[in-house]
Amino acid sequence: MLPGTSTSATVLDSATRDRTRVLLLFSLSGRLRPRDTVLGALVDRYDYGRFASHLMTSQDVLPVPVLDEQVAPRRLRLPHGDHGLGLASLRILVVTTPRGDATLVLDCAFAGETTAGDLAAWLATTCFDRERIELDDRPLLTVLTGQLGGRPLALGQNVHQLVFPGGRLQRELLSADEARKAILLNEIVYRGRMPWNPATPYDASLAPHVRNHGVTLSALGRGVSVQAGWAPHVENGLMLVAIGMISALAVLQRTRLAAFATMKANERALTDSPTEIRSLITRLSAGVNELQLDLAFGVEAYVDSLLIPEMVMEAFQSSLGDALGIRDSLENSARMVERLTSVISARSAALDAELAERDDRRDRTVSGLVAAATLIALPPTLLLAFFGVNGTNVDEHRSILDLRAYGTAYALAWLPFVTLVLIGYVLLRRIRTRSGSLLPASDDDAVPVPPPRSPSGSRRP
């Protein structure tokens, strides 16, 4: 159990929290492959209560912690100050999926009471100025890079902040009337950037998604979730779900960019060498295979309720997925990858057809050259055999080019082959110029077209 919380013996999933807890989730760009460490599995780092049995069976799919450090709160510095909110505890984790998609987690608990306005300003600073967060007067990622063995880290585009209100803020959110509750939630979820005016008409596209169960409350937007009244093991389960969704969103964005890069590589490839074309197709196919693996094991593995099949987790996962638009993005990205696969397959088929045609032309050319050489060589062979015979018709004092004396022999040697060439030429001309089509014509001059039907299904007169 985390400090500052107390649980009820009869309501296992709800609790009263004394201190507000905030989990900052930042996606990291690039790949950070998991490695064997003494940290073990993520399920061993937090208390997941009754959800632990589900996570134990799925721990090979879950993100793996590569860094877990309890840090003194005073070491963390924000670019615009702490907005009057002092930290009581700070825990820094870096987790990465089996595919190498990393997420930075800052687990923060505040020392005193928190108001919605101060909390909104603190959330805005840690989101929009996250590159300027420092640890020991040095950029946070620089410190973490050194602790991870010099692997360069960079913040990605995706941020989600889980807020677990405590103390007076929790009590106010759970007991206030709907108007006051809407004002508080609107300020926290939109980080103070969307002022609430109760006089304006209700707009579902701007209002956070709210679930109020009496003793618990859940409200979320794309970047901030407010979860009040939950027990620590539920909070940790929600954190795990959010990590998976943020990681999946980062994979989708990377996949989309990689798909466009593959498309451009296919369009810009200018080569006539079959070897280079085959090499290009191999590279493109390998890239598409990686995209398919990313979609399957980096996105689809985290967007359903199979990891933690519990109603609380399913409701949060479904709502957060809708807010992030992951399912639509997944479908669109999958279609893009499928079409890339079709394009690469078509290019491979076109290359095979072109190579087959080239081989056919080469074989025809070689066969023609062999036939021509044979045709040309036979008459001289016959003539040489004639002149090599010691016959009475051969005069050793005459030249073999004397057509007066040997014209008949030349005619007998060349005439059959000239006749054969002429007959072959005529036959080829007849084959090429024969009438008719390769496709048989229809028996009727025109195929009757049925008349259009009216909307009622009957034929028009």
Side-chain angles (χ1 to χ4, degrees):
M1 183 185 302
L2 293 178
T5 62
S6 60
T7 59
S8 170
T10 57
V11 184
L12 299 179
D13 285 344
S14 65
T16 300
R17 169 172 287 282
D18 297 329
R19 296 173 179 172
T20 296
R21 179 191 183 192
V22 176
L23 291 169
L24 307 179
L25 311 180
F26 304 104
S27 65
L28 299 177
S29 61
R31 295 288 184 96
L32 186 61
R33 296 293 183 181
R35 56 186 180 182
D36 295 332
T37 64
V38 296
L39 298 178
L42 187 60
V43 68
D44 301 325
R45 312 307 299 174
Y46 280 93
D47 175 25
Y48 292 99
R50 63 188 181 90
F51 305 135
S53 60
H54 298 300
L55 300 178
M56 290 297 295
T57 59
S58 305
Q59 60 181 347
D60 291 338
V61 186
L62 296 176
V64 178
V66 295
L67 175 67
D68 186 2
E69 182 179 359
Q70 198 76 31
V71 179
R74 64 179 181 276
R75 297 174 59 190
L76 186 72
R77 296 181 182 275
L78 303 184
H80 304 297
D82 57 9
H83 303 281
L85 301 177
L87 292 179
S89 64
L90 173 62
R91 185 177 183 180
I92 300 178
L93 297 94
V94 176
V95 297
T96 180
T97 67
R99 293 287 296 169
D101 303 299
T103 303
L104 170 63
V105 182
L106 301 184
D107 190 346
C108 309
F110 295 101
E113 294 289 349
T114 54
T115 64
D118 293 340
L119 187 57
W122 193 89
L123 293 174
T125 298
T126 53
C127 174
F128 303 120
D129 297 316
R130 56 188 180 275
E131 294 86 357
R132 299 167 58 190
I133 298 177
E134 295 181 348
L135 191 68
D136 296 330
D137 297 326
R138 298 172 59 197
L140 176 61
L141 288 186
T142 302
V143 178
L144 299 182
T145 297
Q147 294 179 355
L148 290 172
R151 298 182 181 183
L153 299 176
L155 290 173
Q157 298 296 319
N158 303 292
V159 178
H160 196 79
Q161 299 166 314
L162 281 167
V163 179
F164 304 106
R168 186 171 58 249
L169 181 59
Q170 180 187 12
R171 294 190 297 271
E172 189 174 11
L173 284 172
L174 293 176
S175 60
D177 56 44
E178 294 301 321
R180 176 61 180 166
K181 188 180 301 182
I183 293 174
L184 294 174
L185 292 176
N186 184 84
E187 188 167 14
I188 296 174
V189 170
Y190 294 106
R191 307 185 183 99
R193 302 303 173 94
M194 185 71 67
W196 176 267
N197 184 4
T200 58
Y202 177 79
D203 189 351
S205 64
L206 298 179
H209 183 79
V210 180
R211 293 176 183 269
N212 191 350
H213 304 286
V215 295
T216 62
L217 180 144
S218 299
L220 61 89
R222 184 178 179 88
V224 178
S225 298
V226 179
Q227 307 288 338
W230 297 107
H233 68 277
V234 179
E235 295 177 354
N236 297 332
L238 297 176
M239 174 193 68
L240 184 57
V241 171
I243 289 175
M245 300 296 279
I246 291 300
S247 175
L249 185 61
V251 173
L252 279 174
Q253 293 173 343
R254 186 183 71 239
T255 302
R256 188 72 59 88
L257 295 176
F260 274 97
T262 304
M263 178 195 67
K264 291 180 180 179
N266 178 66
E267 291 177 348
R268 295 175 179 175
L270 299 176
T271 178
D272 293 329
S273 170
T275 303
E276 294 179 357
I277 296 177
R278 288 192 184 278
S279 177
L280 171 66
I281 292 175
T282 301
R283 293 197 307 271
L284 296 180
S285 299
V288 170
N289 290 339
E290 284 297 314
L291 295 181
Q292 291 174 338
L293 289 175
D294 281 337
L295 291 178
F297 298 99
V299 181
E300 293 175 346
Y302 302 108
V303 297
D304 56 31
S305 59
L306 186 61
L307 294 179
I308 308 180
E310 296 286 345
M311 292 181 62
V312 175
M313 300 300 145
E314 290 177 6
F316 176 67
Q317 190 173 49
S318 176
S319 300
L320 184 57
D322 293 340
L324 297 176
I326 285 184
R327 290 174 178 82
D328 291 338
S329 299
L330 176 59
E331 292 178 0
N332 294 334
S333 299
R335 282 195 295 268
M336 292 172 62
V337 173
E338 289 176 0
R339 285 162 184 165
L340 272 177
T341 304
S342 300
V343 169
I344 295 173
S345 300
R347 186 158 196 167
S348 178
L351 174 62
D352 292 339
E354 182 66 25
L355 291 177
E357 184 179 354
R358 189 192 66 175
D359 293 341
D360 186 53
R361 290 196 303 268
R362 181 188 60 192
D363 294 341
R364 290 198 304 267
T365 301
V366 172
S367 300
L369 291 175
V370 171
T374 303
L375 187 64
I376 294 173
L378 283 177
T381 301
L382 294 175
L383 290 174
L384 290 175
F386 169 74
F387 288 113
V389 176
N390 294 325
T392 58
N393 293 331
V394 178
D395 188 352
E396 62 180 0
H397 300 292
R398 292 181 179 273
S399 171
I400 62 175
L401 299 178
D402 189 350
L403 296 180
R404 293 181 182 178
Y406 306 120
T408 303
Y410 275 95
L412 293 175
W414 280 100
L415 184 60
F417 297 99
V418 173
T419 304
L420 181 62
V421 169
L422 292 176
I423 293 174
Y425 176 76
V426 172
L427 292 177
L428 288 176
R429 290 278 298 179
R430 291 182 61 185
I431 293 174
R432 292 177 181 176
T433 59
R434 66 181 179 180
S435 60
S437 173
L438 294 177
L439 294 176
S442 175
D443 295 336
D444 301 330
D445 294 337
V447 178
V449 178
R453 295 181 178 272
S454 63
S456 61
S458 61
R459 294 182 181 269
R460 294 181 180 177

